[in-house]
Amino acid sequence: MPEPADTGRRIKELRISAGLTQHELAGADISASYISLVERGKRIPSGRALKILAGRLGVGMADLSGGAARSESTGRTRRLDLVGRLVVARRQWEGGDPEGALREFRTLAGTAPVGRPDDVYTEAQLAIAEILGAQGRADDGAAVLLRMLDGLGPAGYAETRVRALIALADLLESAGRVQDGLRYALSASLEAAAARAPDSAFHSLLLLDVLTRCAYWSGCAHWASEAGQGELPTDGVLPGPRAGIALHRALDLWDRGAPDRAAGLLAETARRLTPAAGFRRWETVNGRYALLLLGRGERAAARSIVERGLVVASVAREPDFPLWLTTAEAVCAETLGDHARVCVLGERLAALPDTGRCHEKAAALSEVAGSCVRLGDRERAAGYLRYSAELFRRAQAYRHADRARERLADLLEKRS
């Protein structure tokens, strides 16, 4: 019988290596407080809880209960040591040493047992692709994931294949290749449905998040399943993927002429999302919500959101540029008639690198172009709309590109 402290320690190490919070690991079936008790050795998880946790962590029940460790021969590296190295490598990455972490993850990726990739190998490969993507090397990261998929047969590795497909879709969307990302997200959805494996709630949420994002930017928002998109959970802090789903669903509602429903969904999302879920996602939700409020004429509420968000960004010294809060600040300046401030912020947005999420930059420039039109600066607006249409085209967001070109044509016609 394993000691509660041993089981709790294994669960905590695996959770951290997977990059999950206690709330995310708990999901809808278990409370975060229960996870905390288990990790501190205060509670022995039941067989049902152990099965759920093992599924979400991508390991066998024996790996959590201690059976696997006892069955290992003394001549082989203990799996727990490998998990510990995964944790150290991830901390190294988060601590600002991506190259060192990359070397360690590549070493770990070579420890897979012959003929059967295990979870250490899987986590190392996924981390390698994620680091390469963060470094702007999306093609290299995609190649890692495609090789990983080629090495996985269709049978017996359903969950691992789905996780790799989710990571590939996310990587491509982040690199501004939204239709390529949508293709792999749809493949993940089909494989997950065909496998009929025990459901992992967290991985299902990740899949729905990336599918919703890619479908929205590809101009096919209706391709994302409605499952899980209805009502937000009734209480608690929203996990990042759930907030991402709500955000892009709200944007689609706004595009389809349902501003009240969009505002309600974004208001609830902004209220319950914290910067801990990821600064980029948090500032996008808040900046987008402020823009929606400005579109409805609620200027004071929008300015309050923008001012608070920029203070948080300054205090936290986040390395990510607050793209959407800056965009909302520009539109706030327009409502005050501050043409000079709109110009300054617009140029700052235009000067951002085109690598990465160029579709997000294109959408931000489209918002600033609208402010320039309302201020009578049609030349600047036309320049931003041309740039926006080109960025959307590069990102494969063709329907958004068409809308930008239509706005540009209308503007030039009125100017003539």
Side-chain angles (χ1 to χ4, degrees), residues 88-173:
V88 170
R90 184 162 286 274
R91 286 177 179 166
Q92 194 173 9
W93 176 22
E94 293 170 351
D97 183 13
E99 290 299 333
L102 202 55
R103 287 193 295 272
E104 181 65 10
F105 281 128
R106 281 174 170 154
T107 300
L108 288 167
T111 62
V114 177
R116 188 187 189 285
D118 67 2
D119 56 304
V120 170
Y121 169 83
T122 298
E123 296 301 335
Q125 293 286 71
L126 292 174
I128 290 167
E130 190 176 354
I131 293 175
L132 292 173
Q135 292 180 332
R137 300 162 62 187
D139 289 341
D140 292 339
V144 170
L145 294 170
L146 289 170
R147 285 196 299 270
M148 180 179 171
L149 285 165
D150 287 343
L152 295 171
Y157 301 112
E159 184 173 353
T160 304
R161 283 187 58 84
V162 168
R163 290 189 65 195
L165 287 166
I166 292 171
L168 185 53
D170 183 68
L171 177 67
L172 292 171
E173 187 271 334

Side-chain angles (χ1 to χ4, degrees), residues 132 181 193 375 377:
L132 292 173
L375 289 169
D377 190 348

